[in-house]
């Protein structure tokens, strides 16, 4: 699916990578990290391999500083482009805020999740209004494949809204993402998503 | 003008390093215990797991700071007339703080994590009694005060020698009032650390004192979000500064090993000034999932986290590659570790920067991706610099002979540290939450791989440590110290 983003001087068209309907930022993060760490390892291996030869430092510095200018501009350009693309898709203010969201109250408490509703329908836009009555917790929404698909912090005194529209029926889970004491790992709640109001999973 | 390091300073640095070596090994054992439990290879109670987790976190950060401080002091003593009694005083404060922290954790069951989030300590105190939290928080406060005193003292001498902290950060060279080379990298890095870590400790002190008051009198409260800002301003900056102290050894060591100058020029000063500003600013990337924080502050968190990668990518690591390239270097254990530590630092910056991207953070925050990236720059960066400095110190102050174990242990350490970090990052890629005592069956394999790598990292570290202790026996007895020769 192609999405369009205004980036100041025009419109950027991005092919959104989807697998099973879920955005694959995790896969991108993993692949990019492996690739760049490999490149860094190559650079260090090359310099190590060349380290036993002896040349005068002055010319090496001069050439090195020249290359550095382009290297700096290159990194800066990549960072600017990634920022321009990603900052248009922040999860804080949903891009279709005018849509009619179903509001669901979520309250974290050591060591459970209280929710005003725990059964949802595919295609129904949901606003999870997340807070806590004791300490800070982390609201992590996991799909059936145990993949994290959205999260926000559950804080005493604050309500954070996270928006999600389920695109597949099934059993989803809310896991605690912020350490909240010795029962942190048992703070799990299952929610059901059906493909119709009649409740077919 | 250069100074001679005093015998007491050498001894104090040596005791810092001995303590650091022992604690690093112990904390590594704690780390592997957690992975073994998550990987279902041993079984410990969640209560004990979280106590170990708390000890591992504060222990590693604390000891990296102590080791980094030893490096900073040792080299800075060449350029500033430092009184080693101040270093000794800090060491005593540190030990007292550690005792208090350990009593809090293992004596009174404090297990709220080293970046405890207010009001968790007072909530835990309601069930388990206030002693654990009070011992732990007081211990951290003692550690902080010790470091604050030492940074104040270093700031005083930097100001006396260079005419102000702005001058030791090279503003005269940036503004074009002076040309050529300025204060040595050790002084520049120390200035940055003094500014950033003093700010961090003050922020930490506020939230610690607020937490203590809240435990003693629950009617005294502060805003949890403000407390979170202060906690991460402390934790993020303090953890980052460990590498900015330890990198001084790389500047001095690689310059010596290659017989090439590594001096401060205008670009170098600009990089360190930006590092100072960015390090102070970017703690907000820990709050990207706190939607109540003003949006501009979170965007600053992303943009400046990216920018904070530039000084190391473009100046420091690039400088290390340049100084080594065709230098005819005769590799020694310490110089190889210094060189590889820059690989660790640079590699760790990649997943950190990726995680600071808000849309990525939305599905990777507080997964094991996070320990993945900080183990890269802590384990393969800071700790490698400290291990390298231990060997460098022995070379300068004691007797040490290179042998085949050196290269073997370095290969072992780096191969399996990459494996460990890979297992963490992979766990983050499959959404495994961090800080869970027990793991679901789907997650266990990555933990087992991590535990296996961790055991071999401990073996390599044990070899480093044994070599260090063998060499340090004669430390101080040699006349080969560069710092002695300066006289």
């Amino acid at each position: 699916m192609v999405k369009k983003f205004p980036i100041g001087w025009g419109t950027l068209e991005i092919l959104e990578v989807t697998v099973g309907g879920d955005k694959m930022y995790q896969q991108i993060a993993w692949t990019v990290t492996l690739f760049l760490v490999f490149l860094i390892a190559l650079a260090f291996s090359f310099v190590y391999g060349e380290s036993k030869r002896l040349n005068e430092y002055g010319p090496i510095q001069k050439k090195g500083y020249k290359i550095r200018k382009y290297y700096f501009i290159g990194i800066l350009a990549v960072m600017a482009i990634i920022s321009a693309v990603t900052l248009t898709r922040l999860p804080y203010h949903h891009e279709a805020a005018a849509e009619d969201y179903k509001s669901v109250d979520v309250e974290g408490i050591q060591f459970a999740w209280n929710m005003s509703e725990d059964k949802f329908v595919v295609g129904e836009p949901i606003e999870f209004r997340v807070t806590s009555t004791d300490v800070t917790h982390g609201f992590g929404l996991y799909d059936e494949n145990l993949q994290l698909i959205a999260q926000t912090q559950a804080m005493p005194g604050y309500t954070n809204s996270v928006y999600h529209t389920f695109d597949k029926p099934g059993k989803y889970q809310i896991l605690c993402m912020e350490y909240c004491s010795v029962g942190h790992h048992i703070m799990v709640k299952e929610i059901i998503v059906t493909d119709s109001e009649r409740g077919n999973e | 003008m250069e100074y001679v390091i005093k015998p007491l300073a050498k001894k104090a640095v040596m005791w810092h390093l001995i303590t650091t070596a022992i604690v690093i090994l112990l904390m590594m054992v704690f780390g592997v215990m957690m992975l073994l439990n998550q990987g279902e290879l041993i079984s410990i109670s969640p209560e004990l797991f979280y106590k170990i987790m708390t000890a591992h976190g504060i222990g590693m950060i604390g000891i990296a700071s102590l080791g980094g401080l030893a490096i900073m002091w040792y080299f800075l003593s060449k350029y500033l007339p430092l009184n080693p009694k101040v270093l000794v005083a800090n060491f005593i404060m540190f030990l007292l703080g550690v005792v208090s922290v350990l009593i809090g954790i293992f004596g009174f069951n404090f297990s709220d994590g080293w970046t405890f989030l207010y009001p968790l300590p007072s909530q835990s105190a309601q069930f388990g009694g206030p002693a654990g939290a009070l011992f732990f928080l007081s211990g951290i406060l003692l550690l902080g005060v010790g470091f604050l005193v030492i940074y104040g003292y270093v700031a005083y001498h930097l100001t006396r020698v260079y005419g102000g902290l702005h001058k030791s950060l090279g503003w005269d060279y940036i503004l074009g009032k002076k040309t050529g080379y300025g204060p040595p990298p050790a002084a520049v890095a120390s200035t940055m650390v003094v500014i950033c870590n003093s700010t961090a400790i003050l922020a930490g002190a506020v939230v610690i004192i607020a937490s203590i008051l809240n435990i003693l009198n629950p009617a005294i409260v502060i805003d949890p979000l403000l407390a979170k800002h202060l906690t991460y301003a402390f934790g993020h900056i303090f953890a980052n500064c460990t590498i900015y102290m330890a990198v001084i050894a790389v500047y001095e060591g690689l310059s010596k090993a290659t017989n090439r100058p590594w001096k401060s020029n205008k670009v170098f000063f600009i990089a360190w000034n930006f590092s100072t500003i960015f390090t102070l600013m970017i703690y907000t990337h820990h709050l990207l999932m706190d939607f109540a924080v003003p949006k501009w502050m979170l965007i600053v968190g992303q943009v400046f986290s990216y920018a904070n990668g530039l000084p190391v990518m473009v100046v420091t690591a690039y400088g290390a590659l340049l100084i080594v390239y065709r230098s005819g270097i005769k590799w020694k254990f310490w110089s190889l570790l210094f060189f590889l530590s820059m690989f660790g630092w640079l590699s760790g910056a990649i997943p950190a920067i990726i995680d600071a991207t808000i849309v990525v953070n939305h599905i990777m925050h507080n997964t094991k991706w996070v320990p993945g990236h900080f183990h890269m720059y802590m384990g393969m960066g800071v700790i490698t610099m400290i291990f390298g400095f231990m060997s460098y110190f022995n070379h300068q102050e004691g007797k040490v002979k290179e042998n085949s174990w050196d290269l073997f242990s370095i290969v072992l350490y780096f191969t399996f540290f990459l494996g460990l970090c890979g297992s963490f990052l992979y766990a983050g890629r499959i959404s495994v939450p961090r800080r869970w005592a027990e793991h679901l069956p789907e997650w266990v394999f990555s933990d087992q791989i991590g535990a296996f790598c961790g055991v071999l990292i401990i073996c390599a570290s044990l070899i480093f440590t044994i070599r260090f202790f063998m060499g340090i026996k004669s430390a101080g007895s040699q006349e080969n110290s560069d710092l002695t020769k300066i006289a």
Side-chain angles (χ1 to χ4, degrees), chain B residues 134-245:
Chain B
L134 291 177
F135 270 109
F136 182 87
L137 296 171
S138 307
I140 305 290
L141 207 54
L142 265 178
L143 293 173
V145 170
F147 278 106
L148 198 59
V149 168
I150 217 160
Y151 293 138
Y153 179 73
V154 169
Y156 167 73
H157 279 288
L158 286 166
T159 304
R160 271 190 64 188
V161 171
Y162 298 107
L165 294 182
H166 63 297
K167 294 204 175 193
S168 53
L169 266 181
W171 284 21
D172 285 346
Y173 297 83
I174 294 171
L175 298 173
K177 290 181 188 169
K178 288 184 181 172
T179 54
Y181 298 120
V188 181
S190 301
T191 307
M192 181 271 187
V193 170
V194 160
I195 293 169
C196 291
N197 252 359
S198 301
T199 311
I201 291 167
L202 289 173
V206 172
V207 74
I208 288 171
I209 291 167
S211 294
I212 289 174
L213 292 174
N214 183 241
I215 292 166
L216 297 175
N217 181 358
I220 302 172
V221 294
I222 63 165
D223 182 85
L225 192 54
L226 171 65
K228 203 184 235 183
H229 273 271
L230 293 168
T231 300
Y232 285 118
F234 163 63
H236 171 84
I237 298 171
F238 200 74
N240 267 234
C241 280
T242 58
I243 210 160
Y244 293 113
M245 289 189 279

Side-chain angles (χ1 to χ4, degrees), chain B residues 398-462:
Chain B
K399 263 185 192 165
V400 68
K401 281 183 184 168
E402 304 275 320
N403 68 27
S404 55
W405 282 98
D406 292 340
L407 188 62
F408 170 74
S409 55
I410 290 176
V411 171
L412 192 67
Y413 186 83
F414 267 84
T415 305
F416 290 99
F417 228 115
L418 275 171
L420 174 74
C421 295
S423 78
F424 279 141
L425 292 173
Y426 178 75
R429 184 243 172 278
I430 61 169
S431 301
V432 180
R434 67 186 291 208
R435 292 173 164 169
W436 272 41
E438 292 167 8
H439 275 181
L440 299 175
E442 292 86 343
W443 302 336
V444 164
F445 183 63
S446 67
D447 303 319
Q448 292 173 345
I449 296 289
F452 173 72
C453 293
V455 169
L456 291 164
I457 292 166
I458 291 175
C459 292
S461 304
L462 200 58

Side-chain angles (χ1 to χ4, degrees), chain B residues 464-479:
Chain B
F464 293 168
T465 306
I466 291 169
R467 299 272 293 134
F468 167 61
F469 281 113
M470 283 167 67
I472 208 161
K473 278 192 296 187
S474 54
S477 64
Q478 299 298 299
E479 292 302 315

Side-chain angles (χ1 to χ4, degrees), chain B residues 55-117:
Chain B
H56 177 77
I58 191 66
M60 278 299 191
I61 290 296
I63 212 63
S65 281
L66 193 78
L69 181 67
I71 292 173
M72 185 174 116
W73 191 278
Y74 183 78
F75 290 109
L76 208 53
S77 295
K78 273 166 78 171
Y79 311 107
L80 303 178
L82 300 176
N83 184 342
K85 285 179 185 167
V86 180
L87 186 65
V88 174
N90 176 65
F91 188 62
I92 293 167
M93 290 278 274
F94 185 89
L95 293 181
L96 289 174
V98 167
V99 169
S100 184
V101 164
L102 290 176
I103 291 173
I105 296 173
F106 294 107
F108 292 98
N109 303 320
F110 180 84
S111 61
D112 290 347
W114 88 273
T115 50
F116 56 88
L117 290 177

